[in-house]
Amino acid sequence: AQKITQTQPGMFVQEKEAVTLDCTYDTSDPSYGLFWYKQPSSGEMIFLIYQGSYDQQNATEGRYSLNFQKARKSANLVISASQLGDSAMYFCAMSRIYNQGGKLIFGQGTELSVKP
Amino acid sequence: DSGVTQTPKHLITATGQRVTLRCSPRSGDLSVYWYQQSLDQGLQFLIQYYNGEERAKGNILERFSAQQFPGLHSELNLSSLELGDSALYFCASSPPSGTVGTDTQYFGPGTRLTVL
């Protein structure tokens, strides 16, 4: 069975600083994808970044990067130059990929607060 | 805006009633997923459809049912509602198998259901 663990219920970061949100996962599938989603207080789920289990390079999308350490089964999200608008819940998720059934398994989330 | 639409945004109803949640996937996407987000259970996968056919089933109660129509929009029907069914219900869609980004799910804004 797949499992996602996010151990930081809440985090604070100063505006313009970088922050790392932790995510560890467990799976026996060789092919899997790791995702990060952002959920602002308005409730929508916004896709941020994706990393495939076979990808050699860490994924990056603008100010977001995913620090993928396969041996440690970790997929931490790094947000550089934090902005006030980054305050939100962040969810790490995983799924099987390559047409094997794509349901997402989510962690419990980390609430990030950016201080001015 | 993810391109996934959901109606209604809010729904308030009484115990024992039946409601229908509607979802239109992004243009070109064939997969539709339904998720439930509640305070005690977190984000849980309910069911997936691919091009009109049920592809995977998660923790979906027997009182709940879903379908995907030939135009690819989908409905989630919830019946004999209980207080515990109060939650945020998300629909997500993903691109067809074999296309770029097929494993990424894009979420709609959600329907907030309140059962009184």
Side-chain angles (χ1 to χ4, degrees):
Chain A
Q2 297 179 323
K3 186 178 179 182
I4 293 283
T5 303
Q6 293 180 255
T7 57
Q8 305 155 313
M11 286 194 70
F12 289 92
V13 65
Q14 206 67 37
E15 194 179 7
K16 299 180 186 175
E17 291 186 351
V19 63
T20 298
L21 306 184
D22 293 342
C23 172
T24 57
Y25 62 92
D26 192 21
T27 182
S28 55
D29 295 316
S31 304
Y32 53 89
L34 295 154
F35 306 81
W36 279 91
Y37 287 85
K38 172 184 178 182
Q39 187 176 36
S41 57
S42 51
E44 71 266 37
M45 290 287 287
I46 302 167
F47 165 70
L48 296 178
I49 196 165
Y50 163 81
Q51 179 87 39
S53 58
Y54 297 116
D55 294 341
Q56 296 295 316
Q57 305 271 3
N58 285 342
T60 60
E61 287 285 350
R63 294 186 299 111
Y64 304 108
S65 60
L66 199 153
N67 185 0
F68 181 44
Q69 298 191 38
K70 199 169 183 177
R72 292 188 174 184
K73 293 191 173 179
S74 75
N76 298 338
L77 176 71
V78 180
I79 305 174
S80 63
S82 297
Q83 301 172 356
L84 296 178
D86 294 333
S87 294
M89 281 290 286
Y90 288 82
F91 291 95
C92 181
M94 74 181 302
S95 73
R96 293 176 167 176
I97 56 175
Y98 302 144
N99 207 29
Q100 296 180 73
K103 70 175 184 180
L104 286 168
I105 305 296
F106 286 88
Q108 290 302 304
T110 294
E111 186 169 9
L112 178 67
S113 297
V114 181
K115 292 182 171 182
Chain B
D1 186 346
S2 67
V4 178
T5 60
Q6 288 187 249
T7 57
K9 283 189 74 72
H10 300 278
L11 204 46
I12 301 173
T13 188
T15 54
Q17 295 298 305
R18 172 189 168 94
V19 296
T20 297
L21 282 53
R22 295 180 174 83
C23 167
S24 290
R26 298 185 324 154
S27 177
D29 287 358
L30 299 182
S31 268
V32 167
Y33 307 78
W34 286 96
Y35 292 87
Q36 180 195 57
Q37 185 179 30
S38 61
L39 281 173
D40 52 347
Q41 302 275 2
L43 273 152
Q44 301 261 321
F45 167 74
L46 295 177
I47 197 163
Q48 177 199 0
Y49 281 84
Y50 184 86
N51 202 20
E53 293 193 4
E54 183 181 304
R55 173 68 69 90
K57 220 166 184 176
N59 299 324
I60 187 166
L61 300 170
E62 283 193 15
R63 300 183 286 109
F64 296 1
S65 65
Q67 54 184 326
Q68 185 181 28
F69 297 93
L72 300 177
H73 65 281
S74 177
E75 290 182 355
L76 178 66
N77 299 294
L78 315 177
S79 61
S80 302
L81 285 168
E82 301 175 0
L83 296 178
D85 298 328
S86 295
L88 187 52
Y89 291 85
F90 286 108
C91 167
S93 72
S94 62
S97 299
T99 60
V100 174
T102 186
D103 299 306
T104 298
Q105 295 179 30
Y106 297 90
F107 282 69
T111 293
R112 187 168 294 281
L113 174 66
T114 303
V115 182
L116 301 175

